[in-house]
Coordinates of all heavy atoms in Angstrom, one line a residue:
M1 N 0.8 -1.2 0.0 CA 0.0 0.0 0.0 C 0.9 1.2 0.0 O 1.8 1.3 0.7 CB -0.9 0.0 1.3 CG -1.7 1.3 1.4 SD -2.9 1.1 2.8 CE -3.3 2.9 2.9
R2 N 0.5 2.2 -0.9 CA 1.3 3.4 -0.9 C 0.9 4.4 0.2 O -0.3 4.4 0.6 CB 1.1 4.1 -2.3 CG 1.8 3.5 -3.4 CD 1.5 4.2 -4.7 NE 2.1 5.5 -4.7 CZ 1.8 6.4 -5.6 NH1 1.1 6.1 -6.6 NH2 2.3 7.6 -5.6
L3 N 1.9 5.1 0.7 CA 1.6 6.1 1.7 C 1.7 7.4 1.0 O 2.6 7.8 0.4 CB 2.7 6.0 2.8 CG 2.6 4.8 3.7 CD1 3.8 4.8 4.7 CD2 1.3 4.7 4.4
F4 N 0.6 8.2 1.2 CA 0.5 9.5 0.6 C 1.0 10.6 1.6 O 1.1 11.7 1.2 CB -0.9 9.8 0.1 CG -1.2 8.9 -1.0 CD1 -2.2 7.9 -0.8 CD2 -0.6 9.0 -2.2 CE1 -2.6 7.1 -1.9 CE2 -0.9 8.1 -3.3 CZ -1.9 7.2 -3.1
W5 N 1.1 10.3 2.8 CA 1.3 11.4 3.8 C 2.8 11.5 4.0 O 3.6 10.6 4.2 CB 0.6 11.1 5.1 CG -0.7 10.5 4.9 CD1 -1.1 9.2 5.2 CD2 -1.8 11.1 4.3 NE1 -2.4 9.1 4.8 CE2 -2.9 10.2 4.2 CE3 -2.0 12.4 3.7 CZ2 -4.1 10.5 3.7 CZ3 -3.2 12.7 3.1 CH2 -4.3 11.7 3.1
K6 N 3.3 12.8 4.0 CA 4.7 13.1 4.1 C 5.2 12.8 5.6 O 6.3 12.4 5.8 CB 5.0 14.5 3.8 CG 4.8 14.9 2.4 CD 4.9 16.4 2.3 CE 4.3 17.0 1.0 NZ 4.1 18.4 1.1
R7 N 4.3 13.0 6.5 CA 4.7 12.8 7.9 C 3.4 12.7 8.7 O 2.4 13.0 8.3 CB 5.5 14.0 8.4 CG 4.8 15.3 8.3 CD 5.7 16.4 8.8 NE 5.2 17.7 8.5 CZ 4.2 18.4 9.1 NH1 3.7 17.8 10.2 NH2 3.8 19.6 8.7
K8 N 3.6 12.2 9.9 CA 2.5 12.1 10.8 C 2.2 13.5 11.3 O 3.0 14.2 11.7 CB 2.9 11.2 12.0 CG 2.9 9.7 11.6 CD 1.7 9.0 12.3 CE 1.5 7.6 12.0 NZ 2.5 6.8 11.3
G9 N 0.9 13.8 11.3 CA 0.5 15.1 11.7 C 0.5 15.2 13.2 O 0.5 14.2 13.9
P10 N 0.6 16.4 13.7 CA 0.6 16.6 15.2 C -0.9 16.4 15.7 O -1.7 16.1 14.8 CB 1.0 18.1 15.4 CG 0.6 18.7 14.1 CD 0.7 17.6 13.0
A11 N -1.1 16.5 16.9 CA -2.5 16.4 17.4 C -3.3 17.5 16.8 O -2.8 18.6 16.4 CB -2.5 16.6 18.9
G12 N -4.6 17.2 16.5 CA -5.4 18.1 15.8 C -6.0 17.4 14.6 O -6.0 16.2 14.5
P13 N -6.5 18.2 13.6 CA -7.1 17.6 12.5 C -6.1 16.7 11.7 O -5.0 17.1 11.5 CB -7.6 18.8 11.6 CG -7.0 20.0 12.3 CD -6.4 19.6 13.6
R14 N -6.5 15.6 11.3 CA -5.7 14.7 10.5 C -6.1 14.8 9.0 O -7.3 15.0 8.7 CB -5.8 13.3 10.9 CG -5.3 13.0 12.3 CD -5.8 11.7 12.8 NE -7.3 11.6 12.7 CZ -8.0 10.4 12.6 NH1 -7.3 9.3 12.7 NH2 -9.3 10.4 12.5
P15 N -5.1 14.7 8.1 CA -5.5 14.8 6.7 C -6.4 13.7 6.2 O -7.2 13.9 5.3 CB -4.1 14.7 6.0 CG -3.2 14.1 7.0 CD -3.7 14.6 8.3
Q16 N -6.4 12.6 6.9 CA -7.3 11.5 6.6 C -8.8 11.9 6.9 O -9.7 11.1 6.5 CB -6.9 10.2 7.3 CG -5.5 9.8 7.0 CD -4.6 10.3 8.1 OE1 -4.6 11.4 8.4 NE2 -3.7 9.4 8.6
D17 N -9.0 12.9 7.7 CA -10.4 13.3 8.1 C -11.2 13.7 6.9 O -12.4 13.8 7.0 CB -10.3 14.4 9.1 CG -9.9 13.9 10.5 OD1 -9.8 12.6 10.6 OD2 -9.5 14.7 11.3
I18 N -10.6 14.1 5.8 CA -11.3 14.6 4.6 C -10.6 14.0 3.4 O -9.4 13.9 3.4 CB -11.3 16.2 4.6 CG1 -12.2 16.7 3.5 CG2 -9.9 16.8 4.5 CD1 -12.4 18.2 3.6
D19 N -11.4 13.6 2.4 CA -10.7 13.0 1.3 C -10.4 14.0 0.2 O -10.9 15.2 0.2 CB -11.5 11.8 0.7 CG -12.8 12.2 0.1 OD1 -12.8 13.2 -0.6 OD2 -13.7 11.4 0.2
C20 N -9.6 13.6 -0.8 CA -9.0 14.5 -1.8 C -10.2 15.2 -2.6 O -10.1 16.4 -2.9 CB -8.1 13.8 -2.7 SG -6.6 13.1 -1.9
G21 N -11.2 14.4 -2.9 CA -12.3 15.0 -3.7 C -13.0 16.1 -3.0 O -13.3 17.1 -3.6
Q22 N -13.2 15.9 -1.7 CA -13.9 16.9 -0.9 C -13.0 18.2 -0.8 O -13.5 19.3 -0.9 CB -14.1 16.4 0.5 CG -15.2 15.3 0.5 CD -15.4 14.8 1.9 OE1 -14.5 14.2 2.5 NE2 -16.5 15.0 2.5
V23 N -11.7 18.0 -0.7 CA -10.8 19.1 -0.6 C -10.9 19.9 -1.9 O -11.0 21.2 -1.9 CB -9.4 18.7 -0.4 CG1 -8.4 19.8 -0.6 CG2 -9.2 18.1 1.0
M24 N -10.9 19.2 -3.0 CA -10.9 20.0 -4.3 C -12.2 20.7 -4.5 O -12.3 21.8 -5.1 CB -10.6 19.0 -5.5 CG -9.1 18.6 -5.5 SD -8.0 20.0 -5.5 CE -6.9 19.6 -4.1
Q25 N -13.3 20.1 -4.1 CA -14.6 20.7 -4.2 C -14.7 22.0 -3.4 O -15.3 22.9 -3.8 CB -15.7 19.8 -3.8 CG -16.1 18.8 -4.8 CD -17.1 17.8 -4.2 OE1 -17.6 17.9 -3.1 NE2 -17.4 16.7 -5.0
R26 N -14.0 22.0 -2.3 CA -14.1 23.2 -1.4 C -12.9 24.1 -1.6 O -12.8 25.1 -0.8 CB -14.1 22.7 0.0 CG -15.3 21.7 0.3 CD -16.6 22.4 0.1 NE -17.7 21.7 0.7 CZ -18.4 22.2 1.7 NH1 -18.2 23.3 2.2 NH2 -19.4 21.4 2.2
L27 N -12.0 23.8 -2.5 CA -10.7 24.6 -2.5 C -11.0 26.1 -2.7 O -10.4 26.9 -2.1 CB -9.9 24.0 -3.6 CG -8.4 24.5 -3.6 CD1 -7.8 24.2 -2.3 CD2 -7.6 23.8 -4.7
Y28 N -11.8 26.4 -3.7 CA -12.1 27.8 -3.9 C -12.6 28.5 -2.7 O -12.2 29.6 -2.3 CB -13.0 28.0 -5.1 CG -13.3 29.5 -5.3 CD1 -12.4 30.3 -5.9 CD2 -14.4 30.1 -4.7 CE1 -12.7 31.7 -6.1 CE2 -14.7 31.4 -4.8 CZ -13.8 32.2 -5.5 OH -14.0 33.6 -5.6
E29 N -13.6 27.9 -2.1 CA -14.2 28.5 -0.9 C -13.2 28.6 0.2 O -13.2 29.6 1.0 CB -15.4 27.6 -0.4 CG -16.6 27.6 -1.3 CD -17.5 26.5 -1.1 OE1 -17.2 25.4 -1.5 OE2 -18.5 26.7 -0.4
Y30 N -12.3 27.6 0.4 CA -11.3 27.7 1.4 C -10.4 28.9 1.1 O -10.1 29.7 2.0 CB -10.5 26.4 1.3 CG -9.2 26.4 2.1 CD1 -9.2 26.3 3.5 CD2 -8.0 26.6 1.4 CE1 -8.0 26.4 4.2 CE2 -6.8 26.6 2.1 CZ -6.8 26.5 3.5 OH -5.6 26.5 4.2
I31 N -9.9 29.1 -0.1 CA -9.0 30.2 -0.5 C -9.7 31.5 -0.3 O -9.1 32.5 0.2 CB -8.5 30.0 -1.9 CG1 -7.5 28.8 -2.0 CG2 -7.9 31.3 -2.4 CD1 -7.2 28.5 -3.4
D32 N -11.0 31.6 -0.7 CA -11.6 32.9 -0.7 C -12.2 33.2 0.7 O -12.9 34.2 0.9 CB -12.8 32.9 -1.7 CG -13.1 34.3 -2.2 OD1 -12.1 35.0 -2.4 OD2 -14.2 34.6 -2.4
G33 N -12.0 32.3 1.7 CA -12.5 32.6 3.0 C -14.0 32.5 3.2 O -14.6 33.1 4.0
E34 N -14.6 31.7 2.2 CA -16.1 31.5 2.3 C -16.6 30.5 3.3 O -17.7 30.4 3.6 CB -16.6 31.2 0.9 CG -16.6 32.4 -0.1 CD -17.2 31.9 -1.4 OE1 -17.7 30.8 -1.6 OE2 -17.1 32.8 -2.4
L35 N -15.6 29.6 3.7 CA -16.0 28.5 4.6 C -16.2 29.1 6.0 O -15.3 29.7 6.5 CB -15.0 27.4 4.6 CG -14.8 26.7 3.3 CD1 -13.6 25.7 3.4 CD2 -16.0 25.9 2.9
D36 N -17.4 28.9 6.5 CA -17.7 29.4 7.9 C -17.6 28.3 8.9 O -17.9 28.5 10.1 CB -19.0 30.1 7.9 CG -20.1 29.2 7.4 OD1 -19.9 28.0 7.2 OD2 -21.3 29.7 7.2
D37 N -17.1 27.2 8.5 CA -16.9 26.1 9.5 C -15.4 25.9 9.8 O -14.6 25.4 9.0 CB -17.4 24.8 8.9 CG -17.3 23.6 9.8 OD1 -16.6 23.7 10.8 OD2 -17.8 22.5 9.5
P38 N -15.0 26.5 11.0 CA -13.5 26.5 11.3 C -13.0 25.1 11.3 O -11.8 24.9 11.0 CB -13.5 27.1 12.7 CG -14.8 27.5 13.1 CD -15.8 27.0 12.0
D39 N -13.8 24.1 11.7 CA -13.3 22.7 11.7 C -13.0 22.2 10.3 O -11.9 21.6 10.1 CB -14.4 21.9 12.3 CG -13.9 20.6 12.9 OD1 -12.9 20.6 13.6 OD2 -14.5 19.5 12.6
L40 N -13.8 22.6 9.4 CA -13.6 22.2 8.0 C -12.3 22.9 7.4 O -11.5 22.3 6.8 CB -14.8 22.5 7.2 CG -14.8 22.1 5.7 CD1 -14.5 20.6 5.5 CD2 -16.0 22.5 5.0
V41 N -12.2 24.2 7.8 CA -11.0 24.9 7.3 C -9.8 24.3 7.9 O -8.8 24.1 7.1 CB -11.1 26.4 7.8 CG1 -9.8 27.1 7.6 CG2 -12.3 27.1 7.1
A42 N -9.8 23.9 9.1 CA -8.6 23.3 9.7 C -8.3 21.9 9.0 O -7.1 21.6 8.8 CB -8.8 23.1 11.2
R43 N -9.3 21.2 8.7 CA -9.1 19.9 8.1 C -8.5 20.0 6.7 O -7.7 19.3 6.3 CB -10.4 19.1 8.0 CG -10.7 18.3 9.2 CD -11.9 17.5 9.0 NE -12.9 17.7 10.1 CZ -14.2 17.3 10.0 NH1 -14.6 16.7 9.0 NH2 -15.0 17.6 11.0
I44 N -9.1 21.0 5.9 CA -8.6 21.2 4.6 C -7.1 21.7 4.6 O -6.3 21.3 3.9 CB -9.4 22.3 3.8 CG1 -10.8 21.7 3.5 CG2 -8.8 22.7 2.5 CD1 -11.8 22.6 2.9
R45 N -6.8 22.6 5.6 CA -5.4 23.1 5.7 C -4.5 21.9 6.0 O -3.5 21.8 5.4 CB -5.4 24.1 6.8 CG -4.0 24.8 6.9 CD -3.9 25.8 8.0 NE -4.8 26.8 7.9 CZ -5.7 27.1 8.9 NH1 -5.7 26.5 10.0 NH2 -6.6 28.1 8.7
A46 N -4.9 21.1 7.0 CA -4.1 19.9 7.3 C -3.9 19.0 6.1 O -2.8 18.5 5.9 CB -4.7 19.2 8.5
H47 N -5.0 18.8 5.4 CA -4.9 17.9 4.2 C -3.9 18.5 3.2 O -3.1 17.7 2.7 CB -6.3 17.7 3.6 CG -6.3 16.7 2.6 ND1 -6.8 15.4 2.8 CD2 -5.9 16.8 1.3 CE1 -6.7 14.8 1.6 NE2 -6.2 15.5 0.7
L48 N -4.0 19.7 2.9 CA -3.2 20.3 1.8 C -1.7 20.3 2.2 O -0.8 20.2 1.4 CB -3.6 21.7 1.5 CG -4.9 21.8 0.7 CD1 -5.4 23.3 0.6 CD2 -4.8 21.3 -0.7
E49 N -1.5 20.4 3.6 CA -0.1 20.4 4.0 C 0.5 19.1 3.9 O 1.7 18.9 3.7 CB 0.0 20.9 5.5 CG -0.1 22.4 5.6 CD -0.2 22.9 7.1 OE1 -0.1 22.0 8.0 OE2 -0.4 24.1 7.3
L50 N -0.3 18.0 4.0 CA 0.3 16.7 4.2 C 0.0 15.8 3.0 O 0.7 14.8 2.8 CB -0.3 16.0 5.5 CG 0.1 16.7 6.8 CD1 -0.6 16.1 7.9 CD2 1.6 16.7 7.0
C51 N -1.0 16.1 2.2 CA -1.3 15.2 1.1 C -0.4 15.3 -0.1 O -0.4 16.4 -0.7 CB -2.8 15.3 0.7 SG -3.3 14.2 -0.6
Q52 N 0.2 14.3 -0.5 CA 1.1 14.4 -1.6 C 0.4 14.2 -2.9 O 1.0 14.4 -4.0 CB 2.2 13.3 -1.5 CG 3.2 13.5 -0.4 CD 4.3 12.5 -0.4 OE1 4.3 11.5 -1.1 NE2 5.3 12.8 0.4
R53 N -0.9 13.9 -2.9 CA -1.6 13.8 -4.1 C -2.2 15.1 -4.5 O -2.0 15.6 -5.6 CB -2.8 12.8 -3.9 CG -2.3 11.4 -3.8 CD -3.4 10.5 -3.2 NE -4.4 10.1 -4.1 CZ -5.5 9.5 -3.8 NH1 -5.8 9.3 -2.5 NH2 -6.4 9.2 -4.7
C54 N -2.9 15.8 -3.6 CA -3.5 17.1 -3.9 C -2.5 18.2 -4.2 O -2.6 18.8 -5.2 CB -4.4 17.5 -2.7 SG -5.9 16.6 -2.5
Y55 N -1.6 18.4 -3.3 CA -0.9 19.6 -3.3 C -0.1 19.8 -4.6 O -0.2 20.8 -5.3 CB 0.0 19.7 -2.1 CG 0.6 21.1 -1.8 CD1 -0.2 22.0 -1.2 CD2 1.8 21.4 -2.3 CE1 0.4 23.3 -1.0 CE2 2.4 22.6 -2.1 CZ 1.6 23.6 -1.4 OH 2.2 24.8 -1.2
P56 N 0.8 18.9 -4.9 CA 1.6 19.1 -6.2 C 0.8 18.9 -7.4 O 0.9 19.7 -8.4 CB 2.7 18.0 -6.1 CG 2.4 17.1 -4.9 CD 1.2 17.7 -4.3
H57 N -0.2 18.1 -7.4 CA -1.0 17.8 -8.6 C -1.7 19.0 -9.1 O -1.9 19.3 -10.2 CB -1.9 16.6 -8.4 CG -2.7 16.2 -9.5 ND1 -2.2 15.7 -10.7 CD2 -4.1 16.4 -9.8 CE1 -3.2 15.5 -11.6 NE2 -4.3 15.9 -11.0
Y58 N -2.3 19.7 -8.2 CA -3.1 20.8 -8.5 C -2.4 22.2 -8.6 O -3.0 23.2 -8.9 CB -4.3 20.9 -7.5 CG -5.3 19.9 -7.8 CD1 -5.3 18.6 -7.3 CD2 -6.4 20.2 -8.7 CE1 -6.2 17.7 -7.6 CE2 -7.4 19.3 -9.0 CZ -7.3 18.0 -8.4 OH -8.2 17.1 -8.7
G59 N -1.1 22.2 -8.4 CA -0.4 23.4 -8.6 C -1.1 24.5 -7.7 O -1.1 25.7 -8.0
F60 N -1.5 24.1 -6.5 CA -2.3 24.9 -5.7 C -1.7 26.2 -5.4 O -2.3 27.3 -5.5 CB -2.6 24.1 -4.4 CG -3.3 24.9 -3.3 CD1 -4.6 25.2 -3.4 CD2 -2.6 25.3 -2.2 CE1 -5.2 26.0 -2.4 CE2 -3.1 26.1 -1.2 CZ -4.5 26.4 -1.3
E61 N -0.4 26.2 -4.9 CA 0.2 27.4 -4.5 C 0.4 28.4 -5.6 O 0.2 29.6 -5.5 CB 1.6 27.0 -3.8 CG 2.2 28.2 -3.1 CD 3.4 27.8 -2.3 OE1 4.0 26.7 -2.6 OE2 3.7 28.4 -1.3
R62 N 0.9 27.8 -6.7 CA 1.1 28.7 -7.9 C -0.2 29.3 -8.3 O -0.3 30.5 -8.7 CB 1.7 27.9 -9.1 CG 3.2 27.6 -8.9 CD 3.7 26.8 -10.0 NE 2.8 25.6 -10.2 CZ 3.0 24.8 -11.2 NH1 3.9 25.0 -12.1 NH2 2.2 23.7 -11.3
A63 N -1.3 28.5 -8.4 CA -2.6 29.0 -8.8 C -3.1 30.1 -7.9 O -3.6 31.1 -8.3 CB -3.6 27.9 -8.9
F64 N -2.8 29.9 -6.6 CA -3.3 30.8 -5.6 C -2.6 32.1 -5.7 O -3.2 33.2 -5.7 CB -3.1 30.2 -4.2 CG -3.6 31.0 -3.1 CD1 -4.8 31.7 -3.2 CD2 -2.9 31.1 -1.9 CE1 -5.2 32.5 -2.1 CE2 -3.3 31.9 -0.8 CZ -4.5 32.6 -1.0
L65 N -1.3 32.1 -5.9 CA -0.5 33.3 -6.1 C -0.9 34.1 -7.3 O -1.0 35.3 -7.3 CB 1.0 33.0 -6.1 CG 1.6 32.5 -4.8 CD1 3.0 32.1 -4.9 CD2 1.4 33.5 -3.6
R66 N -1.1 33.4 -8.4 CA -1.6 34.0 -9.6 C -3.0 34.6 -9.4 O -3.3 35.7 -9.9 CB -1.6 33.0 -10.8 CG -0.3 32.9 -11.5 CD -0.4 32.1 -12.8 NE -1.3 32.7 -13.7 CZ -1.8 32.1 -14.8 NH1 -1.5 30.9 -15.0 NH2 -2.7 32.7 -15.6
F67 N -3.8 33.9 -8.7 CA -5.2 34.4 -8.5 C -5.1 35.7 -7.7 O -5.8 36.7 -8.0 CB -5.9 33.3 -7.6 CG -7.2 33.7 -7.1 CD1 -8.3 33.9 -8.0 CD2 -7.5 33.9 -5.8 CE1 -9.5 34.2 -7.5 CE2 -8.7 34.2 -5.3 CZ -9.8 34.4 -6.2
L68 N -4.3 35.8 -6.7 CA -4.2 37.0 -5.9 C -3.7 38.1 -6.8 O -4.1 39.3 -6.6 CB -3.2 36.8 -4.7 CG -3.7 35.9 -3.6 CD1 -2.7 35.8 -2.5 CD2 -5.0 36.4 -3.0
A69 N -2.7 37.8 -7.7 CA -2.1 38.9 -8.5 C -3.2 39.4 -9.5 O -3.1 40.6 -9.9 CB -0.9 38.3 -9.2
E70 N -4.0 38.5 -10.0 CA -4.9 38.9 -11.1 C -6.2 39.5 -10.7 O -6.8 40.2 -11.4 CB -5.2 37.6 -12.0 CG -4.0 37.2 -12.8 CD -4.4 36.2 -13.9 OE1 -5.6 36.1 -14.3 OE2 -3.5 35.6 -14.4
V71 N -6.7 39.1 -9.5 CA -8.0 39.5 -9.1 C -7.9 40.4 -7.9 O -7.3 40.2 -6.9 CB -8.8 38.2 -8.7 CG1 -10.2 38.6 -8.2 CG2 -8.9 37.3 -9.8
R72 N -8.5 41.6 -8.1 CA -8.5 42.6 -7.1 C -9.8 42.6 -6.3 O -10.8 42.0 -6.8 CB -8.2 44.0 -7.7 CG -6.9 44.1 -8.3 CD -5.8 43.8 -7.3 NE -4.5 43.7 -7.9 CZ -3.4 43.1 -7.4 NH1 -3.5 42.5 -6.2 NH2 -2.3 43.0 -8.0
D73 N -9.9 43.3 -5.3 CA -11.1 43.3 -4.4 C -12.4 43.7 -5.1 O -13.5 43.2 -4.7 CB -10.9 44.2 -3.2 CG -9.9 43.6 -2.2 OD1 -9.6 42.4 -2.3 OD2 -9.4 44.3 -1.4
G74 N -12.3 44.5 -6.2 CA -13.5 44.9 -6.9 C -14.2 43.9 -7.6 O -15.3 44.1 -8.0
A75 N -13.5 42.8 -8.0 CA -14.2 41.8 -8.8 C -15.3 41.1 -8.1 O -15.2 40.7 -6.9 CB -13.1 40.7 -9.2
P76 N -16.4 40.9 -8.8 CA -17.6 40.2 -8.2 C -17.2 38.8 -7.9 O -16.4 38.2 -8.6 CB -18.7 40.4 -9.2 CG -18.0 40.7 -10.5 CD -16.7 41.3 -10.1
P77 N -17.9 38.2 -6.9 CA -17.5 36.8 -6.5 C -17.6 35.8 -7.6 O -16.7 34.9 -7.7 CB -18.6 36.5 -5.4 CG -19.0 37.8 -4.9 CD -18.9 38.8 -6.0
N78 N -18.6 35.9 -8.5 CA -18.7 34.9 -9.6 C -17.6 35.0 -10.5 O -17.1 34.0 -11.0 CB -20.0 35.2 -10.4 CG -21.2 34.7 -9.6 OD1 -21.1 34.0 -8.6 ND2 -22.4 35.1 -10.0
L79 N -17.1 36.3 -10.8 CA -16.0 36.4 -11.7 C -14.7 35.9 -11.0 O -13.9 35.2 -11.6 CB -15.8 37.9 -12.0 CG -14.5 38.2 -12.8 CD1 -14.6 37.5 -14.2 CD2 -14.4 39.7 -13.0
R80 N -14.5 36.2 -9.7 CA -13.4 35.7 -9.0 C -13.3 34.1 -9.1 O -12.3 33.5 -9.3 CB -13.4 36.1 -7.6 CG -13.2 37.6 -7.4 CD -12.5 38.0 -6.1 NE -13.1 37.3 -4.9 CZ -14.0 37.9 -4.2 NH1 -14.4 39.1 -4.4 NH2 -14.4 37.3 -3.1
R81 N -14.5 33.5 -8.9 CA -14.5 32.1 -8.9 C -14.1 31.5 -10.3 O -13.3 30.6 -10.4 CB -15.9 31.6 -8.5 CG -16.0 30.1 -8.3 CD -17.5 29.7 -8.1 NE -18.0 30.3 -6.8 CZ -18.0 29.6 -5.7 NH1 -17.7 28.3 -5.6 NH2 -18.5 30.1 -4.6
R82 N -14.6 32.2 -11.3 CA -14.3 31.7 -12.7 C -12.8 31.9 -12.9 O -12.2 31.0 -13.5 CB -15.1 32.5 -13.7 CG -16.5 32.0 -13.9 CD -17.0 32.2 -15.3 NE -16.9 33.6 -15.8 CZ -17.7 34.5 -15.5 NH1 -18.8 34.3 -14.8 NH2 -17.5 35.8 -16.0
V83 N -12.3 33.0 -12.5 CA -10.8 33.3 -12.8 C -10.0 32.2 -12.0 O -9.1 31.7 -12.6 CB -10.5 34.7 -12.3 CG1 -8.9 34.9 -12.3 CG2 -11.1 35.7 -13.2
F84 N -10.4 32.0 -10.8 CA -9.6 31.0 -10.0 C -9.6 29.6 -10.7 O -8.6 29.0 -10.8 CB -10.1 30.9 -8.6 CG -9.4 29.9 -7.8 CD1 -8.1 30.1 -7.4 CD2 -10.0 28.7 -7.4 CE1 -7.4 29.1 -6.7 CE2 -9.4 27.7 -6.7 CZ -8.1 27.9 -6.4
Q85 N -10.8 29.2 -11.1 CA -10.9 27.9 -11.7 C -10.1 27.8 -13.0 O -9.5 26.8 -13.3 CB -12.4 27.5 -11.9 CG -13.1 27.2 -10.6 CD -14.6 27.0 -10.7 OE1 -15.2 27.5 -11.7 NE2 -15.2 26.5 -9.7
R86 N -10.1 28.9 -13.8 CA -9.3 28.9 -15.0 C -7.8 28.8 -14.7 O -7.1 28.0 -15.3 CB -9.6 30.2 -15.8 CG -8.7 30.3 -17.0 CD -9.1 31.5 -17.8 NE -9.0 32.8 -17.1 CZ -7.8 33.4 -16.8 NH1 -6.7 32.9 -17.2 NH2 -7.9 34.6 -16.2
I87 N -7.4 29.6 -13.7 CA -6.0 29.5 -13.3 C -5.6 28.1 -12.8 O -4.6 27.6 -13.2 CB -5.7 30.6 -12.3 CG1 -5.8 32.0 -12.9 CG2 -4.3 30.4 -11.7 CD1 -5.7 33.1 -11.9
L88 N -6.5 27.6 -12.0 CA -6.2 26.3 -11.4 C -6.1 25.2 -12.5 O -5.2 24.4 -12.5 CB -7.3 25.9 -10.4 CG -7.0 24.7 -9.5 CD1 -5.7 25.0 -8.7 CD2 -8.2 24.5 -8.6
E89 N -6.9 25.3 -13.5 CA -6.9 24.4 -14.6 C -5.6 24.5 -15.4 O -4.9 23.5 -15.8 CB -8.1 24.6 -15.6 CG -9.3 24.0 -15.0 CD -10.5 24.4 -15.8 OE1 -10.4 24.9 -17.0 OE2 -11.7 24.3 -15.3
E90 N -5.2 25.8 -15.7 CA -3.9 26.0 -16.4 C -2.8 25.4 -15.6 O -1.9 24.8 -16.2 CB -3.7 27.5 -16.6 CG -4.6 28.1 -17.7 CD -4.4 29.6 -17.8 OE1 -3.4 30.1 -17.2 OE2 -5.2 30.3 -18.4
E91 N -2.7 25.7 -14.3 CA -1.5 25.3 -13.5 C -1.5 23.8 -13.4 O -0.5 23.1 -13.4 CB -1.6 25.9 -12.2 CG -1.4 27.4 -12.2 CD 0.0 27.9 -12.6 OE1 0.9 27.0 -12.6 OE2 0.2 29.1 -12.9
T92 N -2.7 23.2 -13.4 CA -2.8 21.7 -13.3 C -2.3 21.1 -14.6 O -1.5 20.1 -14.6 CB -4.2 21.3 -13.1 OG1 -4.7 21.9 -11.9 CG2 -4.3 19.8 -12.9
R93 N -2.6 21.7 -15.7 CA -2.2 21.1 -17.0 C -0.7 21.2 -17.2 O -0.1 20.3 -17.7 CB -2.9 21.9 -18.1 CG -3.3 21.1 -19.3 CD -4.1 21.9 -20.4 NE -5.3 22.3 -19.9 CZ -5.7 23.6 -19.9 NH1 -5.0 24.5 -20.4 NH2 -6.9 24.0 -19.5
K94 N -0.1 22.3 -16.7 CA 1.3 22.4 -16.8 C 2.1 21.3 -16.0 O 3.2 20.9 -16.3 CB 1.8 23.8 -16.3 CG 1.6 24.9 -17.3 CD 2.3 26.1 -16.7 CE 1.4 27.3 -16.9 NZ 1.7 28.4 -16.0
G95 N 1.4 20.9 -14.9 CA 2.0 19.9 -14.0 C 2.9 20.5 -13.0 O 4.1 20.6 -13.1
Ligands
ZN101 ZN1 -5.5 14.9 -1.1

């Protein structure tokens, strides 16, 4: 069996508490601060820090930085969401 976790997490939320599909579904809301469930936010953060499948595969960090650079506060939420998804797709395709 392959191990996907880089290291054992400290006490607190474990990356196994949420699966990769759920993380990706919530990724935009997580980044944009739309999640109002602190427990869920902590689980997603723990997952992204430790999961070797999600983090590199999705180019998460690069996409996030580009997203911040391209989208300013004035953009309406729907536009921000579309821009983020486009950037994420581009970064994912590049690998
Ligand atoms: Zn994952």
Side-chain angles (χ1 to χ4, degrees):
M1 174 172 166
R2 284 179 65 187
L3 292 175
F4 293 113
W5 319 115
K6 294 175 200 165
R7 58 182 165 82
K8 285 249 175 15
R14 295 166 305 160
Q16 300 96 312
D17 288 345
I18 184 168
D19 70 35
C20 296
Q22 288 176 298
V23 169
M24 288 306 129
Q25 277 176 8
R26 301 301 195 113
L27 192 55
Y28 176 83
E29 290 164 280
Y30 168 77
I31 286 171
D32 207 41
E34 287 180 8
L35 294 175
D36 53 11
D37 180 350
D39 202 46
L40 182 59
V41 171
R43 274 188 233 164
I44 291 177
R45 186 184 302 125
H47 187 103
L48 286 173
E49 282 174 4
L50 297 175
C51 180
Q52 292 187 346
R53 288 160 81 189
C54 286
Y55 193 84
H57 180 65
Y58 281 86
F60 169 78
E61 193 173 20
R62 285 177 308 174
F64 183 39
L65 292 175
R66 275 190 59 195
F67 173 68
L68 289 181
E70 289 194 16
V71 180
R72 297 302 172 197
D73 288 344
N78 286 347
L79 175 62
R80 294 212 310 266
R81 188 182 295 260
R82 282 211 305 276
V83 169
F84 176 71
Q85 283 170 347
R86 175 176 58 76
I87 292 172
L88 194 57
E89 282 168 17
E90 283 177 16
E91 295 292 346
T92 304
R93 215 175 295 128
K94 280 187 226 160

